[in-house]
Amino acid sequence: MRRRQPHRVRPVALPACVPAEPQRAGLALVASLLGFTVITIDVSAVNIALPAIRDSLSGGMAGLQWVVDAYTLMFAALMLSAGAIADRSGARRAYAWGVSLFTLASLGCALAPDIGVLVAARVAQGAAAAVVMPASLALIRQAYEDTRERARAIALWTVGGSVAMAAGPVLGGLLTESAGWRAVFLLNLPVGMVILGLLARVPRSPRRPAALDGAGLLTAVLALGGLAFAVIEGGHLGWTSPPVLAAAALAVASGFGFRLVESRHRQPMVPLGILGDREVAVPLAVGFAINAAFYGGIFLLGLYYQQLRGMSGTAAGLMFVPMSVVVTATNLVSPRLAERIGRRPVIVAGQLVFTAAMLAMLPLAADTPVWLVLVLLLPLSVGGALAVPALTALLIDAVPGERAGTASGLLNSSRQTGGALAVALFGSLLSAPGGGFSLPGMRLGLLAVAGLLLATAALSRLLLPRG
């Protein structure tokens, strides 16, 4: 008898077009980072372009506030349901939808013939960014199963956003001076195409059951919109004018309606139960305060440099270069510092530094030496960059993996709401008679934000775990 030869299993070669798992994770990280960066740059770059937009489209201070807040309010309101969209349709698909809409809306902004059309296009941009933000973080959560690798990836993602926020004014100033304010929006078009090309090589994301809560979304939009209208128009129409009082009443009623709807919905977009967890509730409050300080500070400084000191857009943008460098360095140090001494001390320290930043800006005047202005702004560069990486990692680790999209949506919605209301507050306080820049109004706003940061720092110290 002939001996039977053992059966050999031939190795199956993977197609050349399918990247290895580490490479796929890297592509997902790059795509997520680019999307987060471009939607963040858009916010801070537009702040520097505001005076040019006002001159081109004849918009007053209220119009400029709406150019900023139309974006951030839709961002904040839709972020709540966008997390569920990322879970339900899959992170990759939701991300692709969001990037496509953001790119088209950016084209609409660049072609806007008047302030009304620009504000409408900014609404569409904000809606798209609301989908991009949680989907990008959920994409990272999917790509990195190891906790340490995921923490490093989230840190890089956060670094990209912080650097973009700080570098956006520089880019906005250069583009506005060299090619006009419309170039700020046109820049988003090629970046969007690159992101979509990267996503084509990222594996499909699993879909998870998540209900879309239309009633909750509607009440959230009405609450935030009414509150923003009351704060923005209160400084121009008067705080006791009928439209402002009606908007405030709408905000309060919609807020109570939102809570009622979410408590009765079988699958609410904001599970109220997780808000009882201090490791969720406190990061949301801290994120609100940090973005109020940073968005408010960027908005204030852009107008301070150009309106009070008479700087060009390029010169005003270049004033943010030292901030960009410090933000980048601090973001790189923050995760390592959190591993060594714990997340809570880092989060508390970041808020205290931010409080110092608000107080340091109180002496600013038209004749303050430029070198002194740059020194006084150093705490503004450090505070958020120190706290946000640890804050984000703490929140994501506090919820189950299937809730990653919802949790990131909640955090970023809270942060965007803080930024939008800070812009509304500062815009109302900064308007002097005749359209000038009000230093007393600036100082009042800075003191209000400093008090908020002190309150959230105390909550962090008392309620967050050290590890």
Side-chain angles (χ1 to χ4, degrees):
M1 295 179 60
R2 289 187 303 175
R3 298 178 61 184
R4 180 177 296 178
Q5 296 294 326
H7 179 69
R8 295 181 179 178
V9 179
R10 294 182 180 179
V12 178
L14 288 173
C17 62
V18 180
E21 289 304 319
Q23 186 179 352
R24 289 186 174 190
L27 290 173
L29 176 59
V30 172
S32 299
L33 183 60
L34 279 176
F36 185 32
T37 299
V38 76
I39 65 175
T40 307
I41 281 180
D42 196 83
V43 176
S44 53
V46 169
N47 275 299
I48 294 299
L50 289 177
I53 293 173
R54 178 194 58 199
D55 295 339
S56 174
L57 303 182
S58 302
M61 177 62 78
L64 298 184
Q65 287 173 270
W66 280 117
V67 168
V68 177
D69 275 355
Y71 178 92
T72 50
L73 284 171
M74 288 303 293
F75 200 165
L78 298 185
M79 188 92 65
L80 297 173
S81 60
I85 292 175
D87 291 338
R88 182 174 181 172
S89 60
R92 192 188 74 164
R93 178 177 294 183
Y95 193 51
W97 287 347
V99 169
S100 299
L101 177 58
F102 186 84
T103 304
L104 291 174
S106 297
L107 179 61
C109 290
L111 300 177
D114 55 53
I115 198 75
V117 174
L118 178 58
V119 170
R122 291 284 285 169
V123 169
Q125 264 195 321
V131 177
V132 168
M133 179 75 80
S136 69
L137 195 53
L139 203 62
I140 293 175
R141 175 67 174 80
Q142 165 195 320
Y144 294 90
E145 291 297 331
D146 181 77
T147 304
R148 285 183 175 272
E149 290 184 359
R150 187 194 313 144
R152 295 190 185 100
I154 290 175
L156 286 174
W157 180 84
T158 307
V159 167
S162 298
V163 172
M165 177 58 71
V170 182
L171 187 60
L174 292 172
L175 288 174
T176 301
E177 287 290 312
S178 61
W181 62 267
R182 298 178 191 273
V184 174
F185 299 106
L186 289 174
L187 180 65
N188 298 333
L189 274 61
V191 179
M193 298 304 295
V194 170
I195 295 172
L196 293 175
L198 289 172
L199 285 177
R201 302 187 65 194
V202 173
R204 291 185 179 181
S205 304
R207 300 183 182 185
R208 299 184 176 92
L212 294 180
D213 183 2
L217 177 60
L218 177 61
T219 51
V221 170
L222 290 175
L224 293 180
L227 183 58
F229 183 93
V231 177
I232 290 175
E233 299 298 337
H236 305 285
L237 301 178
W239 297 104
T240 58
S241 64
V244 171
L245 292 177
L250 175 65
V252 172
S254 299
F256 280 110
F258 176 80
R259 182 176 180 82
L260 180 63
V261 166
E262 296 304 280
S263 65
R264 295 184 175 182
H265 201 283
R266 291 184 178 181
Q267 291 182 297
M269 64 182 184
V270 179
L272 298 180
I274 69 172
L275 298 180
D277 185 345
R278 63 182 65 181
E279 293 185 41
V280 174
V282 174
L284 295 182
V286 174
F288 179 96
I290 286 177
N291 263 41
F294 198 84
Y295 275 68
I298 295 294
F299 178 79
L300 181 154
L301 290 170
L303 297 177
Y304 165 78
Y305 289 142
Q306 296 180 79
Q307 287 193 353
L308 194 63
R309 300 190 70 106
M311 291 184 176
S312 66
T314 300
L318 290 174
M319 289 291 289
F320 290 91
V321 170
M323 176 184 292
S324 304
V325 175
V326 176
V327 165
T328 303
T330 307
N331 264 293
L332 294 174
V333 171
S334 176
R336 298 178 182 178
L337 192 61
E339 287 184 3
R340 181 170 298 180
I341 67 174
R343 290 170 176 169
R344 186 184 69 190
V346 172
I347 293 170
V348 172
Q351 292 172 88
L352 294 178
V353 171
F354 238 143
T355 303
M358 298 294 102
L359 298 178
M361 291 168 64
L362 289 174
L364 291 182
D367 58 351
T368 304
V370 171
W371 67 267
L372 181 57
V373 174
L374 295 176
V375 171
L376 293 176
L377 295 183
L378 287 178
L380 186 65
S381 311
V382 175
L386 190 63
V388 170
L391 185 74
T392 305
L394 186 149
L395 178 62
I396 293 300
D397 287 348
V399 299
E402 63 271 13
R403 286 293 187 186
T406 301
S408 62
L410 274 171
L411 175 60
N412 288 292
S413 178
S414 178
R415 292 180 62 187
Q416 295 302 319
T417 301
L421 293 181
V423 168
L425 174 65
F426 277 115
S428 298
L429 295 174
L430 288 176
S431 296
F437 187 96
S438 171
L439 280 174
M442 177 193 79
R443 290 165 183 155
L444 182 59
L446 290 172
L447 287 172
V449 175
L452 175 63
L453 286 164
L454 281 177
T456 55
L459 287 176
S460 303
R461 177 64 181 83
L462 293 173
L463 300 179
L464 290 181
R466 181 181 178 85

